[in-house]
Amino acid sequence: METKKVLWGIVIFLLSLVVIYKICNIFITPVDPLDPLDVIYEYDDQEISVRKLFEASYEDLHYSAYWSVTGSYSERTESYHSSYRASGSSPYEILNKSINIKYDHYYKDEDNVLGILYGECIEPYYEFTCYGDIDEQGTISTYSYYVGIINGYKKTAYGYSGHEYSERFEVDKILMPNLDNLTDVSIYFDGSVDEQGHFVVTFVGNKLPCIAPAFGGDGSYSPFDEAEYTFDAQTRKLVKVTLKDIYSSGGYHEESSCLELTINDLAYGDYEIPDVPNMVCDNSILSGALTGEGTFKPSSVIRNDASEKSSLSSTISNIWQNAVSSIPKEACTVDEISESLSYNAIEYGMNIVKKTII
């Protein structure tokens, strides 16, 4: 009898444990791990986190009257004869492209903000490794890209000299990423300081959405899969950003790109915001000539194959050559060459007739 009582006591005890366990599963929700942005670390008796670093950096960059950035963008493309490559094999063709970058940012208030991106591009050169040929006869092109708000209205302008390039982006949106858009993005930061005294935060994800608005389009993806943000450990200021991407197409074709940005100056006070140029076309030299705001270097030779042997063609060529040579400056405006043409035409008993196109 006593044995049965003991057994029933054990059964009742075990049933009670099962009931308690079920109740806990129903009413107690497991706590999710802390968001990587908000994991707290201690450094120099102060608390730091990824979010705190970016919030402090945002305050500095967004409200400073002026700051500048220098950096570079580079692309390297390697082509192979076969998708199967033995260890140490070399590509038969390499294409390199690089752009030196400068960026100026001005802030007066929320209705007057302007960013200006300047680029100096070195034309791609090819290296044919199987023949030992290298073509480094690259030419240099330049461009400028204006994006901002002036008196409450969005203003943009783009102009190039040489060859047109499409590497246009808004630097401020790279330096101040959208931390609310980190879907499928891994965050790497352990609170440690490197040998240079820096905190390094790394974002890794497919077409990083947190910086996507910087690259135009619909703002849903960027051309980079990795972003490395470097902060000074003492001041907590952002000092450098590096973006990377590597793409391979079946082993035959490999592309890598890298964008490096270093913050140089950051200042408060009154800074005059430059004017956004009036661009009637993307070619800055042609646009400046058409608007009268820029100069160009006219050629001393004018040629018309259809009538080059006629006396009129010879007269026109002489007028043009004399007009160009009589301009004291190497470059001139449309008005200056027009005045010189009118003056020299009179010497040949001719008049320059100006027509206005409406």
Side-chain angles (χ1 to χ4, degrees), residues 160-277:
Y160 70 90
S161 174
H163 292 275
E164 184 175 9
Y165 279 86
S166 60
E167 278 71 28
R168 289 176 256 175
F169 44 85
E170 298 179 50
V171 173
D172 55 326
K173 293 181 180 178
I174 296 175
L175 271 54
M176 296 178 278
N178 181 7
L179 299 184
D180 293 328
N181 193 2
L182 291 171
T183 304
D184 298 325
V185 174
S186 299
I187 304 172
Y188 298 93
F189 179 64
D190 60 6
S192 62
V193 178
D194 64 14
E195 294 179 354
Q196 289 73 41
H198 296 148
F199 292 126
V200 179
V201 179
T202 303
F203 297 137
V204 178
N206 185 36
K207 307 302 179 185
L208 289 172
C210 56
I211 58 173
F215 298 94
D218 61 2
S220 61
Y221 65 91
S222 75
F224 297 96
D225 293 337
E226 180 178 330
E228 185 178 274
Y229 291 81
T230 302
F231 299 83
D232 184 276
Q234 296 297 326
T235 64
R236 310 292 197 269
K237 293 183 181 298
L238 180 64
V239 296
K240 184 179 180 179
V241 178
T242 302
L243 307 180
K244 301 176 183 178
D245 181 62
I246 298 177
Y247 170 77
S248 177
S249 176
Y252 290 95
H253 188 77
E254 290 187 1
E255 296 179 5
S256 61
S257 57
C258 180
L259 175 62
E260 295 184 328
L261 304 170
T262 301
I263 302 172
N264 301 313
D265 303 311
L266 192 150
Y268 295 89
D270 294 326
Y271 279 79
E272 184 177 353
I273 298 180
D275 293 330
V276 178

Side-chain angles (χ1 to χ4, degrees), residues 290-306:
L290 293 173
T291 61
E293 298 176 356
T295 60
F296 66 101
K297 183 180 179 180
S299 171
S300 60
V301 178
I302 183 171
R303 180 176 177 179
N304 184 350
D305 292 335

